[in-house]
């Protein structure tokens, strides 16, 4: 069974640009969550989608958005990039939504903003 | 809202020594607790989780953790460290909102 796939693995963007990251969950998983990981802030929750609906949202500005498609694949978009958006963005999928559900993580997309 | 505190951002042990990584949580409802490991340039991999039932939880790679409600702790241990255990370890808590919160992480170094 294929794991969680995130594309691209590495990305370099310029300040002010926008970026779209993609996440393909494990087959059959309907919940997808996104996290931002930085050395200073650690792992921070961005948002969670389940059956194409955003269920939870972390404390991030509106420049960060996401969506989920009917096949459970998810994308996150960051507009008007800032230097501080440089981070490893991790996607995690779960079979369903619920507080005891294990999350399976992808390898992440490392975004560098210059 | 729930939260997690990991005591010690860096822990160094000798190969064969006991590994103890500390995690304390705060939650207004009975929590579900997790330990994840992250190797360089990789995502997170689940080591073990506590949901309900037995408070001593065994995970992969010889790790285990004990849920102590009275101490609001969920410390991770391994009797004998291997070089391959060098990684970053994250404790996480989840409640009924399914909003998983992670600790800041503890980087484990294993000396030969």
């Amino acid at each position: 069974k294929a794991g969680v796939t995130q594309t691209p693995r590495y990305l370099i963007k310029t300040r002010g640009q926008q970026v779209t990251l993609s996440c393909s969950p494990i087959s059959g998983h309907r919940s997808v969550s996104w996290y931002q990981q930085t050395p200073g802030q650690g792992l921070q929750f961005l948002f969670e989608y389940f059956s194409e609906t955003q269920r939870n949202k972390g404390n991030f500005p509106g420049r960060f958005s996401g969506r989920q498609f009917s096949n459970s694949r998810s994308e996150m978009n960051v507009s008007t990039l800032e230097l501080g958006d440089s981070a490893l963005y991790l996607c995690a999928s779960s079979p369903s939504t619920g507080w005891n559900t294990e999350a399976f993580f992808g390898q992440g997309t490392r975004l560098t903003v210059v | 809202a729930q939260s997690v505190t990991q005591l010690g951002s860096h822990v160094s042990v000798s190969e064969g020594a006991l590994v103890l990584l500390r995690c304390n949580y705060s939650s207004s409802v009975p929590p579900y607790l997790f330990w994840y490991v992250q190797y360089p340039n990789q995502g997170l991999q689940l080591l073990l989780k506590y949901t309900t039932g037995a408070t001593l939880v065994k995970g992969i790679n010889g790790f285990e953790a004990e849920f102590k409600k009275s101490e609001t702790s969920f410390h991770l241990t391994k009797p004998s460290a291997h070089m391959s255990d060098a990684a970053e370890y994250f404790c996480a808590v989840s409640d009924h909102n399914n909003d998983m919160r992670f600790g800041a992480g503890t980087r484990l170094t294993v000396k030969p």
Side-chain angles (χ1 to χ4, degrees):
Chain A
K1 202 174 195 183
V4 178
T5 303
Q6 292 188 245
T7 56
R9 286 293 312 277
Y10 302 92
L11 204 50
I12 299 176
K13 288 287 189 179
T14 304
R15 269 182 304 173
Q17 286 186 313
Q18 74 162 21
V19 67
T20 299
L21 311 182
S22 179
C23 172
S24 293
I26 291 172
S27 177
H29 286 195
R30 297 168 63 194
S31 172
V32 173
S33 298
W34 288 89
Y35 295 84
Q36 182 195 64
Q37 186 178 24
T38 59
Q41 299 297 319
L43 268 163
Q44 293 186 282
F45 172 74
L46 279 157
F47 25 66
E48 183 211 355
Y49 287 88
F50 180 76
S51 293
E52 301 178 67
T53 301
Q54 187 181 88
R55 287 194 70 253
N56 277 307
K57 190 177 192 312
N59 190 25
F60 277 82
R63 299 186 297 108
F64 291 80
S65 62
R67 59 177 175 170
Q68 186 180 33
F69 302 95
S70 58
N71 62 357
S72 294
R73 190 176 70 85
S74 177
E75 290 180 345
M76 69 162 280
N77 184 277
V78 188
S79 63
T80 320
L81 283 166
E82 301 177 358
L83 295 179
D85 297 332
S86 295
L88 180 67
Y89 290 88
L90 292 166
C91 165
S93 77
S94 303
S96 62
T97 187
W99 48 338
N100 65 340
T101 304
E102 176 187 347
F104 294 80
F105 283 82
Q107 291 186 299
T109 294
R110 184 164 295 282
L111 172 65
T112 302
V113 182
V114 298
Chain B
Q2 74 278 25
S3 65
V4 167
T5 301
Q6 290 184 241
L7 300 175
S9 58
H10 290 89
V11 170
S12 181
V13 301
S14 297
E15 193 172 18
L18 170 72
V19 175
L20 171 61
L21 305 182
R22 299 178 186 273
C23 171
N24 287 90
Y25 70 89
S26 171
S27 178
S28 57
V29 297
Y32 287 161
L33 296 159
F34 305 80
W35 274 101
Y36 283 85
V37 61
Q38 185 179 33
Y39 298 101
N41 296 316
Q42 299 292 319
L44 278 68
Q45 179 184 6
L46 182 71
L47 278 176
L48 48 81
K49 67 178 180 181
Y50 168 78
T51 55
T52 58
T55 56
L56 182 62
V57 181
K58 293 187 184 298
I60 62 172
N61 301 340
F63 284 93
E64 62 182 38
E66 186 171 11
F67 171 62
K68 292 188 176 180
K69 185 178 178 181
S70 61
E71 299 176 8
T72 60
S73 70
F74 191 56
H75 301 331
L76 181 71
T77 61
K78 182 174 180 177
S80 176
H82 295 165
M83 297 296 292
S84 60
D85 294 327
E88 187 143 21
Y89 292 80
F90 293 90
C91 182
V93 62
S94 178
D95 68 8
H96 58 282
N97 289 319
N98 197 34
D99 180 358
M100 188 176 284
R101 300 282 178 170
F102 287 85
T106 297
R107 184 169 299 280
L108 175 66
T109 302
V110 182
K111 299 174 291 186

